[in-house]
């Protein structure tokens, strides 16, 4: 199979999805209305609620939701062959992810910017909300702890990525000041920011930063984990315009340039995909493709984490409701393009089938390493970039994706802690909540793994938990649409499919964890499965009630939002 042909087919499908299907959703399903004031205006506080330029917000949303998962998932899932992964990424992006992400944004914006956990209380019930928060908290714990481990390993394994990784923070701080304080034109700020980031990549390639074996009594990887948590904690309490938003925006531009370089290299080098379309000779111990494919590739097809980000931070910054199409749906397209690039890099970046099989000799192999190795070979063959610089570019892409997700994840987990405390009648400030989040995250990283790798202990449950959350988020969207007497079929089909696959996967994993006597994962899997099934039952009840209850209208939403205007002023 020709990799340029596969790339062109995949890109065309996603572009057509944005041009046509997203318009259908905007006009007939969600009926986005820019005359209804958004929470960014009615609840404006300069910290979390900040009206934001559509392109800047897209950068924040895209890089926050992407992380390392759309690289890791597809680069692992090609063990079953490139065709199933390709179909799930492209069709999932067009019909599942774009609708899910835009719908979560719309639902939150119509409800004062409240998180998806809070919305579950309003539309499903208090029991559903409490169980929903449990699932969200565990998902964010997995993301924050595991991504810290992924980043630390990349910084140790690719020391040329250290300077651009940390230099990006300084660039972001300057970009934030340039946009909001100095009011400089966004185009020039964007160009200079991207040039600065790529200059840091070249500098990093020339001056790798290799830490000694032990730093402050910790291994190099453990030291980076500690630094990452401290940084993310500080970033999570700063106003979004100061660091989080500009960092995500400029990283988003840099990462899209990186993706462009990768796809151009594919077109020029035209490498052949050496992996089989459907792999019938998987290594011993590889689990069944059904249902594991649909939870191994979560980000890049559909992801519950996106709904948490959309309702947790992005909805609070949406300048007008119509921007949800570009921010939400096109944000999902951006992630789909990254996942497609990961599939091509991990299947066409090797000279022979034997070379590919050597990397994919066991299910736990592949992943980021295959992406960096295969993608680096394609950049070298296509554009003639040195192997070291190619690896630095791709490793920096992976690190910055994961780091921006971790920034947002810590902030979102802080929101969950505050919401849970409020339910118990306790008022917790953002600093105390952030400290709790950091203690829990680092407790997992260092408690379950003395070398700081404990974040990976519960990672096998990430995909299943993530997809369960996506299904539950779609259930909330379905309830809202039923209340408004709108067509709910475009939501119900993905809802049923995702819930079936994720529950099936959770049950399969129960057997695997029991067989290996992994009692921690077994217990967590049981908790997550019970919580999810309970919320599903509550959701079905809520949908039936919504069908017979008096319909609501957009005018009701307009009144709800306007109630906040006097306080905001």
């Amino acid at each position: 199979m020709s990799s340029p042909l596969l790339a062109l087919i995949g890109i065309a499908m996603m572009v057509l999805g944005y041009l046509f299907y997203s318009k259908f959703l905007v006009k007939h399903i969600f009926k986005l209305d820019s005359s209804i004031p958004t929470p960014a205006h009615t609840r404006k506080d300069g910290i979390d609620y900040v009206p934001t330029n559509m392109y800047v917000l897209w950068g924040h949303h895209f890089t926050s939701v992407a992380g390392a998962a759309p690289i890791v998932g597809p680069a692992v899932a090609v063990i079953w062959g490139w065709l199933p992964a390709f179909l799930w990424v492209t069709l999932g992006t067009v019909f599942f992810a774009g609708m899910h992400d835009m719908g979560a944004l719309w639902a939150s914006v119509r409800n004062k910017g409240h998180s998806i956990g809070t919305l579950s209380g309003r539309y499903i019930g208090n029991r559903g909300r409490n169980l929903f928060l449990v699932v969200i908290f565990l998902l964010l714990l997995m993301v924050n702890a595991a991504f810290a481990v992924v980043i630390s390993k990349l910084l140790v394994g690719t020391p040329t990525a250290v300077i651009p990784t940390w230099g990006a923070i300084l660039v972001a701080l300057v970009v934030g000041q340039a946009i909001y304080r100095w009011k400089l034109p966004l185009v020039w700020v964007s160009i200079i920011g991207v040039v600065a980031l790529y200059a840091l990549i070249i500098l990093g390639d020339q001056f790798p930063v290799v830490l000694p074996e032990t730093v402050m009594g910790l291994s190099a990887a453990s030291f980076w984990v500690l630094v990452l948590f401290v940084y993310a904690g500080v970033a999570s309490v700063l106003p979004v315009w100061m660091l989080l938003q500009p960092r995500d925006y400029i990283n988003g531009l840099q990462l899209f340039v990186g993706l462009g370089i990768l796809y151009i290299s594919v077109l020029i080098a035209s490498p052949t995909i050496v992996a089989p379309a459907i792999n019938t000779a998987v290594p011993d111990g590889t689990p069944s493709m059904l249902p594991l494919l649909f939870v191994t590739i979560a980000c890049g097809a559909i992801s519950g984490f996106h709904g948490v980000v959309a309702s947790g931070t992005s909805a609070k910054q949406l300048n007008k409701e119509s921007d949800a199409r570009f921010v939400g749906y096109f944000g999902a397209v951006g992630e789909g393009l990254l996942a497609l690039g990961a599939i091509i890099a991990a299947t066409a970046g090797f000279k022979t089938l034997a070379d590919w099989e050597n990397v994919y000799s066991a299910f736990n192999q592949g992943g980021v390493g295959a992406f960096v190795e295969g993608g680096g070979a394609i950049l070298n063959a296509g554009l003639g970039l040195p192997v070291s610089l190619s690896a630095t570019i791709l490793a920096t892409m992976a690190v910055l994706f994961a780091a921006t997700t971790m920034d947002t994840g810590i902030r979102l987990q802080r929101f969950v802690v505050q919401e849970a405390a409020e339910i118990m009648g306790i008022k917790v400030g953002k600093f105390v909540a952030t400290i709790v989040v950091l203690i829990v995250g680092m407790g997992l990283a260092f408690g379950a793994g003395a070398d700081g790798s404990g974040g990976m202990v519960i990672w096998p449950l990430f995909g299943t938990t993530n997809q369960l959350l996506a299904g539950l988020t779609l259930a909330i969207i379905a309830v809202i649409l039923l209340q408004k007497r709108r067509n709910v079929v475009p939501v119900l089909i993905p809802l049923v499919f995702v819930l079936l696959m994720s529950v099936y996967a959770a049950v399969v994993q129960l057997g695997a964890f029991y067989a290996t006597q992994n009692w921690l994962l077994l217990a967590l899997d049981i908790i997550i499965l019970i919580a999810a099934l309970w919320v599903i039952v509550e959701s079905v009840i809520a949908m039936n009630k919504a069908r017979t209850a008096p319909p609501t209208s957009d005018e009701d939403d307009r009144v709800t939002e306007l109630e906040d205007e006097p306080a905001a002023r």
Side-chain angles (χ1 to χ4, degrees), residues 368-456:
V368 174
F371 170 75
V372 173
E373 181 183 348
I378 292 174
L379 292 182
N380 176 257
L383 298 179
L385 296 178
V387 174
S388 174
L389 180 59
S390 299
T392 301
I393 291 173
L394 294 177
T396 301
M397 281 178 59
V399 168
L400 292 181
F401 265 122
T404 50
T405 298
M406 189 178 173
D407 290 355
T408 304
I410 294 291
R411 184 181 288 261
L412 291 171
Q413 200 170 15
R414 183 246 294 177
F415 290 157
V416 172
V417 169
Q418 289 178 295
E419 285 184 26
E422 187 176 340
I423 291 172
M424 294 184 289
I426 305 171
K427 185 173 179 61
V428 176
K430 64 179 181 180
F431 294 106
V432 173
T434 300
I435 291 172
V436 170
V437 169
L438 294 180
I439 290 174
V440 173
M442 287 190 286
L444 173 63
F446 291 100
D451 60 350
S453 64
M456 301 307 292

Side-chain angles (χ1 to χ4, degrees), residues 44 50-60 170-194 239-253 317:
K44 182 177 178 181
V50 180
T52 303
N53 177 282
M54 177 176 69
Y55 301 103
V56 175
L57 183 56
W58 170 84
H60 155 71
L170 179 61
V171 173
L173 288 169
V174 175
V175 167
Q177 296 295 318
I179 294 175
Y180 289 101
R181 288 283 178 83
W182 306 331
K183 307 295 183 181
L184 299 180
L186 182 61
V187 172
W188 287 110
V189 173
S190 303
I191 293 173
I192 294 171
V194 171
V240 289
W241 65 266
M242 185 177 292
L243 178 58
L244 182 69
Q245 196 185 84
R247 173 177 163 83
D248 291 354
Y249 170 65
I250 205 67
N251 282 345
L253 293 179
Q317 302 169 57

Side-chain angles (χ1 to χ4, degrees), residues 204-418:
D205 186 55
Q206 296 298 314
F207 299 98
V209 177
V210 181
L211 295 182
E213 289 188 10
T214 59
V215 183
M216 299 170 53
L218 299 171
S219 67
S222 298
F223 176 75
W224 282 131
V225 169
L226 179 63
V227 172
L228 284 162
F229 269 108
V230 172
Y231 156 72
V234 173
S236 72
V237 296
L238 293 175
V240 289
W241 65 266
M242 185 177 292
L243 178 58
L244 182 69
Q245 196 185 84
R247 173 177 163 83
D248 291 354
Y249 170 65
I250 205 67
N251 282 345
L253 293 179
Q254 182 268 142
L255 296 166
F256 241 66
V257 171
L259 273 179
I261 293 173
L262 177 61
Y263 280 116
I264 289 172
S265 298
V266 168
L267 294 176
I268 294 174
S270 191
T272 299
I273 296 177
V274 298
I278 298 177
N279 190 10
T280 58
V282 295
D284 291 340
T286 303
S288 170
M289 179 174 68
L290 185 70
L292 270 299
L293 170 69
F294 301 102
V295 298
T296 300
I297 300 179
C299 299
I302 182 173
S303 165
F305 181 69
H306 292 203
V308 180
V309 174
S311 64
T313 61
S314 301
K316 296 176 174 62
Q317 302 169 57
L318 202 70
N319 184 44
K320 54 185 179 180
E321 192 170 278
S322 58
D323 290 351
R325 178 188 176 222
F326 185 78
V327 175
Y329 197 100
F330 193 65
V333 168
E335 187 174 62
L337 291 173
L338 176 60
L340 176 61
I343 291 172
I344 293 172
T347 56
F350 301 91
K351 292 183 179 179
T352 66
L353 175 60
D355 291 335
W356 181 83
E357 288 178 336
N358 185 54
V359 174
Y360 286 88
S361 59
F363 183 70
N364 287 329
Q365 294 192 5
V368 174
F371 170 75
V372 173
E373 181 183 348
I378 292 174
L379 292 182
N380 176 257
L383 298 179
L385 296 178
V387 174
S388 174
L389 180 59
S390 299
T392 301
I393 291 173
L394 294 177
T396 301
M397 281 178 59
V399 168
L400 292 181
F401 265 122
T404 50
T405 298
M406 189 178 173
D407 290 355
T408 304
I410 294 291
R411 184 181 288 261
L412 291 171
Q413 200 170 15
R414 183 246 294 177
F415 290 157
V416 172
V417 169
Q418 289 178 295

Side-chain angles (χ1 to χ4, degrees), residues 82-106:
W82 61 261
L83 183 59
F86 172 79
L87 291 175
W88 176 225
V89 163
T90 51
L91 296 176
T93 295
V94 172
F95 296 107
F96 287 45
M99 180 274 299
H100 169 277
D101 294 11
M102 180 164 61
L105 262 176
W106 168 76

